[in-house]
Each structure stands twice: as C-alpha cells, then as structure tokens.
Amino acid sequence: MKIETAAGMLLAALAVAVLSLPAMAKPYELTVDYVEIDTGDTKTTGIGYNGSSPGPTLRFREGEEAEITVTNNLDETTSIHWHGQILPYQMDGVPGISFPGIAPGETFTYRFPVRQNGTYWFHSHSGFQEPDGAYGSIIIEPEKREPFRFDREYVVVLKDKHPHSGARIMRNLKMMPDYYNRQQRTLGTLMDDVAKDGLSATLSDRKDWGNMRMTPTDIEDVQGFTGLINGMSPEQNWTGLFKPDERVRLRFINASAMTYFDVRIPGLEMTVVQADGNNVQPVTVDEFRIAVAETYDVIVQPKEDRAYAIMAESMGRSGYAFASLAPREGMRAEMPEPRTDGPLLTMADMGMSHDNMPGMDHGAMDMTSQPEMAGMDHSNMPGMDHSAMNMGAKPADPFYASGSGLIPKAVNGGKFLSYADLKAQKPRYPERPAMREIELRLTGNMERYVWSINGIKYEDADPIRLQYGERVRFTFINETMMAHPMHLHGMWSMLDNGNGKWNPVKHTINVNPGTTVSFETEVDEPGEWAFHCHLSYHMASGMFRKVIVEGGPETALNTNANGN
Amino acid sequence: MKKLNLISAPVGIALGLMAFPAIAMEGNIFYGLQLEQFEYRYGDEGEKSAVWDGDAFAGTDELKLRWQSNGEQDLREDSFETLENRLVLQTPISDFFDAKAGVRLDTPTGQDRWYGTVGIAGLAPQWFEVDADLFVSETGDGSARLDIEFEGLLTNHLILTPSLETDIAFSDDREIGIGQGVSKVELGLRLSYDLIDRAVSPYIGVAHERKLGKTADFARDEDEDRDATYVVIGMRLMY
Amino acid sequence: MPSFKSYLAKILTVAALSGGTVLVSPITAHADAGHNSVVHGANIGKLGNISDVRKTVEIVMQDNFYEPEKVVVLGGETVRFVIRNEGEFVHEFNIGTVAMHATHQKEMAMMVEHGALEADKINMHMMEMDMGNGMTMKHDDPNSVLLEPGKTAEIIWTFPENAELEFACNVPGHYESGMMGQVKFQ
C-alpha cells in the first residue's frame, strides 16, 4: 500500500515533469542516516541528512520545479517537511496527514513548484527525529531583485542539541515535568527575596504560586542543551568571513526543538529584512528574539577589521549558542558574558493580570472560568490600541502580557525587535475582512505534561474544517504559562499586529503566555494540513490539529489518507 | 524463591503491556521506573536493614498500570519485616490528582495477606505529594494509609525531603499484629544530591518508625520493637 | 543639518506640485544655498545653476534601492539629477558623506516615531508640529529630496573637486539594507 502510493506519486511526479514548462531545479538527493553528533562535550548518535547533522543547504530559484529524492536509511519510518513551503499537500511530508511516510529502505521523491523566495528550512516530521538532528536549511533565490543588498550571505541555524534522545526526553517529561528544570526557586532564592521584598511579601508570593501548583521558572522545559550554530557548539566556533564594510546577510533559522533564542551581535546593528521567508520593511534593531521554527534575515555591515560575536542566549538563560563573524579564518570573537538574570514568569503570564493596561488581560475570563470566550474584548488585541500606551516613554511590547516576566530588553539598552515592528514589504494578498473567526485556546497541564488546544489533545480532536476560498481569522488565547510557536502548514499566516495591509506574512506565530494573538489565512490550498505548536514535546503530547480544506480545484482528496 | 515470583509477576504484566502498544488507544505509551527509597538502615539499637520503596508504570496519559513495591528486610535475621506489592490501574480525576484501584499482596516473613485497594495520588497545594489509600483485606479488615512528601530545594541539585507515612486500621487483625486505630507512623528526612541528572541521587537521612495503640501493645506482647530510629544511607533512582 | 522646517518647506513644495516635477532651485532653497555646504568639515559641493548643467542623471527609486547604484562625475561638475520614485514607499535622495547620512538617519527615525513619516506617505500636519525639544539645525538641506510614491523631483548639484560621497535614502532601515549608491569622481 505504502509502496504503491509512493510509486504512484513518483509516476505522477514524472508525468508532471515531462509536461510542465517550469525549469527543473538541480535535483537533490538526500539520504536519511544515523550520524554522530559531536559538540565537543558530548558525542551522541543522532539523525542527519547525507551523513551529517545539520543536513545540507538546499538552494532553489523561485519559479523552478523542485525535485528532492529522499532515501530512508533508518530502521524506522521517516519524512521531510519543507517548513514554510506552499506546495501540494501530498508533498508536505507529514505522516498520517500528507502521506504515509517513508518506510525504512524506501525512497520517496518530493516534487513541487517553487512559488516563493527567501529563507526556509526542512526537518523530519516523524517521531523525535528533528530534535535528534534531522534538519537542514533552504535558500530560495527570488525571480526579481530583492529590496535590499548584500555582498555575502550565511545561513545561521540555531539548535538546542541535547545529550538525551528526543524519545527519552519525552518520557522523562511525562514521568516528571520538571525533570530538566534546574532553574527552580530554592532556599537561596527564598532568602534573597526575603531580603529584597520582606518576609510577608515573599511568603505570600510563594503561597500564591504554591496554591496554583505552578512555578515562575517554567520557561524552558528542556534545559541542559548545548546551543549549536550551523552544527557547531560555542567551543567549536562556527565562523563566517567578511571583508570590512561589506553588507552581510545572515539568514537566522531557529531549528530548535524547544528553545527560543535572543540574538545579538555586539557592536553591530542588525537590519531585519525578512521574517519567515517574507520580506519586511527594514527595521534596524540591536537584538531580536527568535521563536522555535521562525526565520529572520538580517543585514549587518561590520566595518572594523575584527571578529564580531554572534550571541544567541536562550530566552530562559539556561544555555546559549555562539559563533563568530571574522575578517580571517581562525579568529574567534570575544564571547560576551552570558546573562544570568533568568526571567521569572509573573501572574500576568498566568493570565492573572488585573491592571488596565492594554494588552491581553484574561484575568476576568479565568475567574468566571467560562469555556467560551464570549466576553472577549477584541479591542485588547495586540497592536490595536497604542494610544493608551504612549503615556510612558516607550510603549511596552504589546505581544507580551502587561507586566509579563518575559518582556525582553536589549543588553545595550537599545532596540529589541517586537512583532509590532514587522510590516510586510509587499502584501501577498489584497486586504479583505475575514469571513469568520476560529478561536483556539492554547491549553495544557504542566504537571501531567499534557498539551492541547481547547483542552483537547490531537488524538481526541476533530479536524478543523476550512472552505477553499474563504479568509479565516484564527485567534489564539494562550491559557498556559508557556510561549507557543504555532505553525500552520500549507498556507500563509498573516499576523494581525495592527499594521493593516502591511500585516506581516508568516508561517509560525509565537503566542506568549497570557496573551491573545490573531492571524488571518487565505484558504487557497486544498488538502489536509498539520497545524501545531512547534515545540517538539508539546506537539507530541497533543497541541496539534489536522486542518482540512474542503473544496477547491483539486477536491479529490485521497480518502485512504484520511485515517490517521 | 516464592517471593521473587510474586514480585516478577507484575513486572511481567507491565512489560507485556509495553510490548503491545496497540492495546492502548491512540496515545503514546510511556513507562517509568522510580525507586524513591533504596537504602540501608542502621538503627539506634543496632538494627540493620535494607529498605526499598518504588514503583514502575506503563501506560498513557489516560490510563496507567502501576506496580508499587516496598519492603524492609532485616539483615541480621534475614527476614522480611514488611514486603508489599501492589498492582493498580490509575486514571486522572482532576488536574492534579489520579484515582487508582487494584490489589495488594503482603508477603512478609510470617502471615501473607491479600487486599483490594482504592486510592488517590497527586499533588496538593503547596507542592505536597500525597498518596491516600484504602485497603480491605481478605479477612475483611479495613485500613488506610496516608503518605505525604515534600521536596525542599536547598539548591537545584541538593534536595531535602521530609516525609510522613501513617497507617490506620479500622479493626484488629491479630494474626498480622495490627490493632484498631492509628497503627504505625513513619517520619523521614532525607538529604539527596542529584548526581546524574535525576537518575541517580544518593542521600543520607534519618527515619523514625513507631507502632501505636493496640498495635504497639501487640508488638510488646510478641516482644518486638515498638519504635526505632535509624540513620539511613541510600540512593534514589529513576529511569 | 536640516531642521524639520526645512524638510517641511521642501515637502510642501513637493506636495504642491503633486505629480509634477519639482525643481529644487534657489527660489525654494535657503540663503546659503549659493555657498558650499560644509558639514562636519566635509565639502560635499553646492546647489548648482541650471546654466552650468553639463550632464543629466536619472535616478529611479525602487523599494528599497536605486537604479543606478553608482554615479560617475567629474570634479567640479554640475549635474542635474532627475529623481523618480517608482516604489510604493517614501524614499529620500540625499547627497552626503557617510557621517552625514548617519546623522540624518537618526533624525528621520524620529520623524517616523512621531508619525510625521509613514511608510508610504508624509504627514504634513505632523511635520508642522513643534517638536519643542530644542532641536536646532545649523543648515538646511538643498542636497536632499524626500519623495512619496509616484513623485518626481530634480536636484542640480555642483560637486566639489573631490570627496567621499554617497547618495542615500535615510528613511529608517533603507540605507542599512542597501538603499545607497556611490558617487565616483573621475
């Protein structure tokens, strides 16, 4: 059955190849292999492509027909998902939704038209192969000139490489959700807080958290990783060369399983020109936070004849990745001292904020604990109301709960990128109102390590049904205390950040704790798609939905593929 | 030898369940093994014993099969003061608590007992880990047990764990030396250090056991100790 | 450095002749226009006379780059620049040194922050607002023009004998992402 389907697709793909006019890209061949991953500290067996992890950078040109032949040398089923690519759903690479997967020893040929440009990535969508090393990058050159200029470019892929296998991590989290959390509050922090805030305030704070049975340190579930840049640990020092005054394009990809990174290059401003493969109106920042599965392209212009540090500290400060930009080989930038001021969640992140600042106060709803959000005030959506916030010097980032402990600050006191800064360079679709709204509550139980949407795990949930041709507004209400990078396959996500026609076009939308975030989708790709939190262990434990697009030009959905 | 078989039976069942994931719904099957206590006790009257208290589970988020085992072996007399094995099915009933039901078999040196058991296990406010169980033995005697534990983080690796275990009997079971009322209390304080992530955590501590009420009287009649204080050294293991 | 008022004067001119060609001539330029503009000690040249024009250079503004990205001039030459914004965003054409551009960028970032400048339009009424923060500029800016999409303007410029000059768009992010070109002296 599997073989027949694969063969059928292969034949169909060949037929398309013969008949189609678009130029064929250079065909790629990828093998999926067990590989050794050496971070300097640890040597582990992982999974890679063509013998290495990360896999190669695949280059295409917009308008071409991509052909990638994937041979599975593992003894388990594998798959490759082309993250952010708009393609026929059978080529999307999600076992159980797009196709049956690639069985051990089998070869599958992916073939799809390349209809976009920018920085993307690919990864396995099977088991925990992606955390185990099965990822690589994609660069698609545009048909037309890009709205920016650079003299050279590098892919900068971030990864939270853990000494434990993904399956082991998942099992440990299920057994003990704080298994990997070594940033918990202790007797020492209790004493510090008593000294700082007084005994009664400290005890009252401990009591509040204790009553909820939650901890303000639940920011990074999986600590103990080594941050990698292009597969290299801080010690191994990946180095990108430049000549002073050159404009260097850095294509940042966060291929991590669980970790958000705060990225900076001390001494250089970074001009963000692309987010999730789509050009944005350039915005110059000192630091930015990259959620899991996002990409940001920045342009830097190092002018001095010295090495510059690329420093990527994890959001919870439990780890970091480091690399150098240098004028010559063999140079190592001076690594800035990693920040030790690990953030703590606040009641605002629990959705318990009671002040009246605009932002995303769901406290009232949590009190009434109504399952439906009938009373939700959409005027509190991020980016919708800045007027009340301009009272202070700088408006707080509206994409964090007011008073959130996660609000980032640039080390040098400068500009930290906000979602609110992202404006599409060229809107992909004409502006039109959404025809309906789908509210998705992001839910979970940290103690059980169960993650869900609307309180229902994937295996118990009905698919989300969309109609071809409609424009749908999705509204996430994050009722958990963790940030979730939500990724809709197959169709673009237009983040509503209050910029109207310039709302940025993304494939992964980060939703911070205690916030409500909306995006809109033009439902223009038929088929069946995955829609999930991109944190590997949240996805695997249920924060996942199947989306079915009904109608459209290719209505003949393969009914055999429906059962999952 | 007989005892070994009794212990291995539940393991076999647990492994069997793991080997056939198809049995369990769509969800993933997880398993785990934890020895909360695995220690050598040296008592104030020269007692020497080996004690373990652990459990293994396999199952989904919705339903788990759990094997709980604890015992105390007197190393001087090579006898088992206590030896309990429980096999329970466990399912969530609230955000923080599970209900469990199953059977318990006590096979210490001396008289064996079968029990039916129901209970709850979970996390109470302020981070108290609570196990509360009811038992009805084959002789029709009812009893209850409350087990409370708190992990105090001195640092992120050095953990001080006070614990309290209380047995309450609803009727006399003279044959096994239990008298109606609060029959036994055990207090513990253990200081552990996570040596290899959370898998291996050696500890030292103190434990105090005391038989109470009629149970204490029965013990006196049998010329057994009614209370004992121990220094303990052991290792918490998790896999 | 130009004041907001000088920007305003130029913008008003551009707006008044909306759709048409703006000639940045001595009529709209300021008193010192006939002298060399010296900024940070750099001689960047001066506003030229139409009679001295020997060469016309067409500059097309795109999002976010110029065509062409290099202009070759002779020392002391007077060049007529015809600048057309074919993009969808506001762009600037500004002749100056790297240091001058860096200073302009900060100022334009402030204009954006205060809502005077949006991606695709210039808000006249916001420009008129008194910034009231003691921003005094010591010279005006005959060396630059700020254009909304679809607009065209001209600058006649007499270059010095030699200088390290760039033409640049100092709208926030544009210069940094490469909207600049080199003035090469032959």
Side-chain angles (χ1 to χ4, degrees):
Chain A
M1 172 57 208
K2 279 177 187 172
I3 297 167
E4 277 170 24
T5 315
M9 282 179 184
L10 230 160
L11 278 175
L14 282 173
V16 170
V18 172
L19 296 171
S20 63
L21 296 170
M24 284 293 301
K26 180 183 81 175
Y28 280 104
E29 286 180 12
L30 293 179
T31 59
V32 191
D33 310 304
Y34 292 111
V35 299
E36 181 180 83
I37 300 172
D38 181 1
T39 66
D41 294 333
T42 59
K43 273 188 191 165
T44 50
T45 298
I47 294 172
Y49 296 110
N50 293 354
S52 76
S53 170
T57 298
L58 308 183
R59 263 187 186 271
F60 301 103
R61 178 170 274 276
E62 189 177 8
E64 283 177 344
E65 190 82 11
E67 182 186 295
I68 310 125
T69 303
V70 180
T71 301
N72 182 5
N73 293 334
L74 309 180
D75 53 21
E76 58 186 302
T77 298
T78 194
S79 56
I80 296 182
H81 167 60
W82 315 98
H83 190 110
Q85 292 303 299
I86 304 303
L87 37 59
Y89 81 97
Q90 299 92 336
M91 295 292 130
D92 196 45
V94 182
I97 294 182
S98 331
F99 77 145
I102 309 168
E106 283 193 10
T107 295
F108 182 87
T109 299
Y110 287 91
R111 187 185 284 276
F112 52 88
V114 179
R115 298 187 274 156
Q116 61 205 83
N117 66 74
T119 302
Y120 300 93
W121 62 300
F122 62 94
H123 59 84
S124 167
H125 223 288
S126 301
F128 297 104
Q129 292 170 6
E130 183 227 286
D132 289 345
Y135 65 99
S137 49
I138 298 174
I139 295 175
I140 306 174
E141 286 159 20
E143 280 177 315
K144 290 188 213 144
R145 204 208 126 125
E146 285 173 297
F148 42 82
R149 244 201 297 178
F150 53 94
D151 302 299
R152 61 173 83 207
E153 60 174 339
Y154 294 106
V155 169
V156 182
V157 189
L158 298 160
K159 182 72 173 178
D160 51 354
K161 166 68 189 138
H162 204 280
H164 289 178
S165 74
R168 170 117 186 257
I169 291 169
M170 182 82 260
R171 194 172 70 75
N172 281 338
L173 290 170
K174 285 283 185 186
M175 189 159 56
M176 188 177 178
D178 58 354
Y179 193 97
Y180 295 102
N181 190 347
R182 296 293 187 178
Q183 291 184 321
Q184 302 189 61
R185 297 209 284 192
T186 62
L187 185 67
T189 57
L190 181 77
M191 311 266 252
D192 291 347
D193 290 355
V194 168
K196 202 174 68 190
D197 306 324
L199 183 66
S200 70
T202 303
L203 289 182
S204 152
D205 171 73
R206 294 300 195 275
K207 188 171 134 249
D208 288 347
W209 286 100
N211 278 333
M212 292 194 300
R213 284 157 279 185
M214 291 181 174
T215 73
T217 57
D218 276 340
I219 294 167
E220 283 168 0
D221 292 348
V222 184
Q223 299 167 14
F225 58 85
T226 302
L228 304 184
I229 287 179
N230 296 334
M232 296 171 88
S233 66
E235 178 190 330
Q236 291 164 333
N237 186 37
W238 178 84
T239 305
L241 296 181
F242 70 88
K243 291 200 188 91
D245 287 329
E246 278 183 332
R247 281 189 170 74
V248 183
R249 177 183 190 173
L250 301 174
R251 300 170 179 265
F252 284 94
I253 299 169
N254 189 353
S256 293
M258 293 296 282
T259 308
Y260 287 38
F261 285 100
D262 291 347
V263 180
R264 69 188 199 272
I265 305 175
L268 293 182
E269 291 185 319
M270 301 179 282
T271 300
V272 179
V273 294
Q274 205 178 77
D276 287 5
N278 289 282
N279 293 331
V280 293
Q281 296 175 31
V283 52
T284 301
V285 300
D286 295 286
E287 195 166 341
F288 65 92
R289 175 167 291 173
I290 184 166
V292 168
E294 287 186 320
T295 75
Y296 287 99
D297 285 37
V298 307
I299 289 177
V300 295
Q301 194 172 19
K303 299 199 168 184
E304 294 169 44
D305 184 51
R306 66 165 176 103
Y308 292 84
I310 300 176
M311 190 68 183
E313 291 173 87
S314 73
M315 177 166 72
R317 308 283 181 259
S318 76
Y320 58 87
F322 163 88
S324 298
L325 287 179
R328 285 172 295 283
E329 281 293 357
M331 285 179 85
R332 181 185 170 89
E334 191 189 330
M335 191 175 83
E337 195 60 38
R339 283 171 279 187
T340 51
D341 55 330
L344 288 178
L345 299 174
T346 66
M347 289 296 159
D349 294 306
M350 301 287 135
M352 299 279 180
S353 166
H354 289 289
D355 62 24
N356 290 324
M357 287 292 284
M360 290 75 35
D361 182 354
H362 299 130
M365 291 187 303
D366 286 347
M367 294 303 139
T368 57
S369 67
Q370 284 177 351
E372 59 191 69
M373 295 293 145
M376 208 179 85
D377 183 357
H378 289 272
S379 68
N380 280 349
M381 304 291 282
M384 290 300 181
D385 181 11
H386 289 175
S387 56
M389 295 168 58
N390 283 336
M391 295 177 299
K394 255 187 187 172
D397 188 326
F399 281 86
Y400 291 86
S402 168
S404 165
L406 293 178
I407 300 170
K409 280 198 199 86
V411 170
N412 64 357
K415 169 81 182 156
F416 202 109
L417 182 73
S418 161
Y419 260 12
D421 297 321
L422 299 176
K423 298 182 183 119
Q425 170 79 11
K426 218 172 170 56
R428 220 169 242 285
Y429 299 94
E431 218 187 356
R432 62 166 178 156
M435 289 154 191
R436 61 185 173 119
E437 180 169 11
I438 297 175
E439 285 187 355
L440 300 173
R441 289 180 299 116
L442 306 180
T443 45
N445 182 327
M446 184 67 190
E447 271 310 305
R448 299 187 183 285
Y449 214 81
V450 169
W451 301 95
S452 53
I453 293 172
N454 294 336
I456 302 169
K457 293 194 298 179
Y458 176 51
E459 59 254 42
D460 304 323
D462 293 328
I464 295 170
R465 291 179 187 276
L466 304 179
Q467 302 305 314
Y468 184 86
E470 68 177 342
R471 185 180 174 109
V472 175
R473 181 181 180 86
F474 286 96
T475 295
F476 295 117
I477 300 156
N478 189 347
E479 297 183 354
T480 76
M481 71 294 196
M482 304 206 81
H484 302 286
M486 301 301 296
H487 172 45
L488 173 63
H489 289 218
M491 290 165 285
W492 291 112
S493 302
M494 270 78 74
L495 170 70
D496 183 356
N497 63 354
N499 286 319
K501 67 175 171 179
W502 289 314
N503 280 342
V505 183
K506 300 191 87 257
H507 50 59
T508 305
I509 305 275
N510 174 46
V511 189
N512 284 316
T515 68
T516 295
V517 175
S518 297
F519 75 89
E520 296 187 3
T521 289
E522 289 284 351
V523 182
D524 55 0
E525 296 294 335
E528 305 197 351
W529 305 99
F531 184 20
H532 58 89
C533 174
H534 218 283
L535 301 182
S536 295
Y537 308 104
H538 291 194
M539 169 169 87
S541 55
M543 199 175 255
F544 194 115
R545 281 294 184 275
K546 178 155 87 173
V547 167
I548 298 178
V549 175
E550 294 173 337
E554 294 161 63
T555 47
L557 297 183
N558 181 359
T559 45
N560 289 333
N562 283 1
N564 70 296
Chain B
M1 194 61 226
K2 173 194 161 205
K3 297 214 160 95
L4 207 66
N5 284 336
L6 286 168
I7 297 171
S8 58
V11 180
I13 295 170
L15 289 173
L17 189 75
M18 281 151 46
F20 297 100
I23 301 169
M25 297 165 285
E26 303 238 9
N28 294 318
I29 301 264
F30 300 98
Y31 65 93
L33 183 69
Q34 198 174 355
L35 270 171
E36 283 274 322
Q37 294 173 14
F38 182 55
E39 66 197 22
Y40 174 79
R41 290 185 174 188
Y42 185 77
D44 51 355
E45 287 163 26
E47 302 96 328
K48 287 179 187 150
S49 57
V51 168
W52 76 92
D53 185 1
D55 69 284
F57 74 91
T60 65
D61 292 334
E62 288 76 25
L63 189 66
K64 287 182 183 69
L65 182 69
R66 189 179 292 274
W67 167 46
Q68 295 174 279
S69 177
N70 65 74
E72 180 176 355
Q73 185 181 16
D74 188 321
L75 294 173
R76 290 181 303 185
E77 297 174 11
D78 194 24
S79 64
F80 284 92
E81 291 289 312
T82 60
L83 178 47
E84 292 183 14
N85 281 287
R86 264 188 273 176
L87 195 60
V88 295
L89 282 170
Q90 187 175 338
T91 190
I93 50 167
S94 75
D95 279 354
F96 293 101
F97 278 91
D98 285 357
K100 49 186 184 174
V103 292
R104 163 181 154 193
L105 175 60
D106 287 9
T107 53
T109 304
Q111 187 61 46
D112 292 359
R113 275 288 179 272
W114 278 98
Y115 300 83
T117 174
V118 294
I120 56 166
L123 189 65
Q126 304 305 333
W127 307 103
F128 289 99
E129 284 172 38
V130 176
D131 271 84
D133 299 292
L134 287 171
F135 306 98
V136 178
S137 74
E138 57 190 303
T139 57
D141 295 299
S143 58
R145 179 179 295 165
L146 181 67
D147 201 343
I148 300 172
E149 202 180 281
F150 181 87
E151 289 196 349
L153 271 58
L154 302 184
T155 74
N156 266 291
H157 288 82
L158 191 64
I159 298 169
L160 186 66
T161 309
S163 61
L164 165 73
E165 190 180 303
T166 312
D167 287 353
I168 302 152
F170 302 129
S171 55
D172 291 351
D173 185 348
R174 190 69 183 80
E175 208 176 4
I176 56 168
I178 299 290
Q180 189 180 354
V182 176
S183 54
K184 195 173 129 190
V185 173
E186 182 173 334
L187 291 165
L189 189 64
R190 288 171 179 79
L191 182 67
S192 63
Y193 184 81
D194 290 346
L195 194 64
I196 305 174
D197 57 76
R198 303 210 191 255
V200 178
S201 312
Y203 64 80
I204 53 167
V206 289
H208 178 76
E209 287 185 348
R210 179 179 289 261
K211 288 173 179 161
L212 299 162
K214 281 166 91 177
T215 309
D217 297 340
F218 294 153
R220 192 186 49 210
D221 296 349
E222 302 286 327
D223 204 24
E224 285 175 8
D225 286 344
R226 279 165 295 169
D227 62 283
T229 303
Y230 306 95
V231 170
V232 305
I233 180 163
M235 224 181 292
R236 194 164 63 189
L237 302 168
M238 191 187 271
Y239 180 74
Chain C
M1 281 172 55
S3 66
F4 275 107
K5 283 201 176 138
S6 73
Y7 265 108
L8 179 64
K10 181 157 31 110
I11 289 152
L12 283 173
T13 319
V14 173
L17 305 173
S18 124
T21 298
V22 181
L23 181 64
V24 181
S25 72
I27 301 163
T28 53
H30 291 250
D32 68 343
H35 305 285
N36 281 349
S37 299
V38 178
V39 180
H40 300 310
N43 182 3
I44 64 164
K46 62 184 179 188
L47 204 60
N49 289 316
I50 192 149
S51 52
D52 298 332
V53 170
R54 306 255 294 277
K55 179 160 80 186
T56 295
V57 172
E58 277 194 33
I59 301 280
V60 176
M61 294 164 158
Q62 301 281 8
D63 298 330
N64 302 320
F65 55 90
Y66 297 109
E67 290 168 345
E69 290 177 328
K70 187 159 108 182
V71 171
V72 180
V73 299
L74 299 170
E77 190 178 31
T78 298
V79 177
R80 182 167 75 138
F81 290 97
V82 178
I83 307 134
R84 196 165 73 244
N85 186 351
E86 292 189 355
E88 291 172 19
F89 298 122
V90 172
H91 293 296
E92 190 199 29
F93 176 81
N94 184 320
I95 299 165
T97 62
V98 173
M100 283 168 70
H101 292 315
T103 311
H104 279 275
Q105 280 152 29
K106 290 196 184 99
E107 189 180 70
M108 295 198 69
M110 203 175 295
M111 289 167 71
V112 170
E113 211 173 287
H114 287 88
L117 190 60
E118 287 181 44
D120 60 348
K121 62 174 185 281
I122 301 158
N123 288 325
M124 231 53 72
H125 67 283
M126 294 296 283
M127 289 285 186
E128 287 163 26
M129 265 172 49
D130 182 7
M131 302 276 81
N133 55 359
M135 286 190 42
T136 54
M137 310 293 167
K138 64 180 186 197
H139 88 114
D140 68 75
D141 53 340
N143 56 326
S144 91
V145 64
L146 190 64
L147 290 179
E148 287 188 333
K151 305 284 168 61
T152 300
E154 281 190 23
I155 288 181
I156 293 168
W157 195 254
T158 302
F159 285 93
E161 281 309 311
N162 201 354
E164 293 256 323
L165 296 180
E166 290 177 347
F167 56 99
C169 173
N170 295 309
V171 170
H174 290 198
Y175 178 91
E176 295 90 323
S177 57
M179 188 158 184
M180 49 76 70
Q182 192 196 350
V183 179
K184 193 171 162 57
F185 284 81
Q186 243 174 11

